[in-house]
Structures are given as structure tokens and as C-alpha cells.
Amino acid sequence: MNYQEKVSTREDVRVLYEKVKANPAIKQYRGYTETKSYGWDPVLQDCVKMAGEAWFDNPTFDAGAVSEGVSESVNAELLDEQLAEKEQRVLELEALLADLENENKELELSAADAEARAKAAENERDEAKEALLELRRALVLVGELAASR
């Protein structure tokens, strides 16, 4: 049986290698990203990177350990583990989404408040312009009245 798992760090690749090594029913494994495959080199204590889909041998593979029942239970165990990880990630993402929705509501309220203050400032400006126009008209009338005397 082959096993693959999405990885994003060297530590993910090392953990994958240890998981595979602990299961003699797995013949080959690969950690993968969108474009590359990763395996672990125990001698170098570092990951090995290859382009495309490449498989790495499990050093503890035992053909005798591979039986239909064992293979299915191992596969189910690995799938259960992946499912648990995915469910945890979903919970984390749901919590993040809730936080972002709350932040968005706060920002919308803040934007509405800023718009209201801007509108009030525009009204004050317009009122001040009207008052200045009235004052200019009055000054013009005073000037005309003073000139006529």
C-alpha cells in the first residue's frame, strides 16, 4: 500500500516519515505540495525534494505484513487521523471566520459613524457658508448706506 499526505514544512515531512516507518504495511510514501514530492533522508536528517509525483520507499516495509484486513484497517486508521486533522482545521477556520465577521461588523459600524460625522461637518460648513453670504450682503448694504450719506 502507498500513502501520501500534504506537507508544508520539513517537520511535516519528518513526522510523515516516522508515521510511515511505524507501519510496515506501507510500501511507499510521499509528502506533497502542488508541484513537488517530499521524502525524508534519515542519514542526512533532512527532506528530499523531487519535482512532480515521486514515491519514496518505506525502509520498514514488510510484504508479509500486508494483508487485506491489515491494509484496510491501517488505511482506515490513517484516514481517521486525516479526518480528525481536517475537522480540527475546519473548527479553527470557523473560529477565524467568526472573528472576521465580528471585526467586519465593527468596521461597518465605524464607517457608518464616520459617514454621519462627515455629513454633520458638511452641514456645518454649508450653514457657515450661508452665514458668510448673509454677512457679506449686510456689509455691502452697510457700505452702500455709508456711501449714500
Side-chain angles (χ1 to χ4, degrees):
M1 157 176 89
N2 289 347
Y3 178 70
Q4 62 183 349
E5 188 174 293
K6 192 163 192 156
V7 294
S8 57
T9 66
R10 281 183 159 76
E11 181 63 16
D12 291 346
V13 176
R14 188 193 62 73
V15 168
L16 170 62
Y17 174 76
E18 294 299 326
K19 186 186 318 183
V20 168
K21 202 169 89 168
N23 184 347
I26 297 175
K27 182 176 182 177
Q28 293 182 315
Y29 73 98
R30 71 185 275 259
Y32 68 92
T33 61
E34 299 264 336
T35 59
K36 296 192 175 18
S37 294
Y38 297 88
W40 187 257
D41 185 333
V43 175
L44 297 176
Q45 289 294 301
D46 200 7
C47 63
V48 178
K49 173 174 54 173
M50 298 184 80
E53 184 176 326
W55 291 91
F56 302 88
D57 292 329
N58 178 0
T60 63
F61 174 69
D62 178 10
V66 180
S67 71
E68 195 172 313
V70 170
S71 179
E72 287 176 14
S73 68
V74 168
N75 193 26
E77 184 179 308
L78 292 174
L79 288 175
D80 286 346
E81 191 175 307
Q82 287 178 344
L83 179 61
E85 289 172 3
K86 300 291 185 201
E87 287 173 344
Q88 179 61 36
R89 183 66 178 143
V90 166
L91 291 174
E92 291 169 1
L93 290 173
E94 286 175 344
L96 178 61
L97 177 62
D99 290 344
L100 290 174
E101 286 174 345
N102 288 336
E103 186 177 337
N104 187 44
K105 286 177 186 173
E106 290 174 11
L107 289 172
E108 286 174 350
L109 291 173
S110 178
D113 184 48
E115 288 174 6
R117 284 183 287 153
K119 187 66 177 168
E122 287 175 9
N123 289 339
E124 276 186 49
R125 180 200 64 204
D126 292 345
E127 290 172 4
K129 279 184 178 179
E130 283 297 318
L132 279 173
L133 286 174
E134 290 298 321
L135 185 58
R136 283 186 183 152
R137 286 185 198 121
L139 287 173
V140 167
L141 289 175
V142 168
E144 288 174 358
L145 192 59
S148 66
R149 287 189 183 205

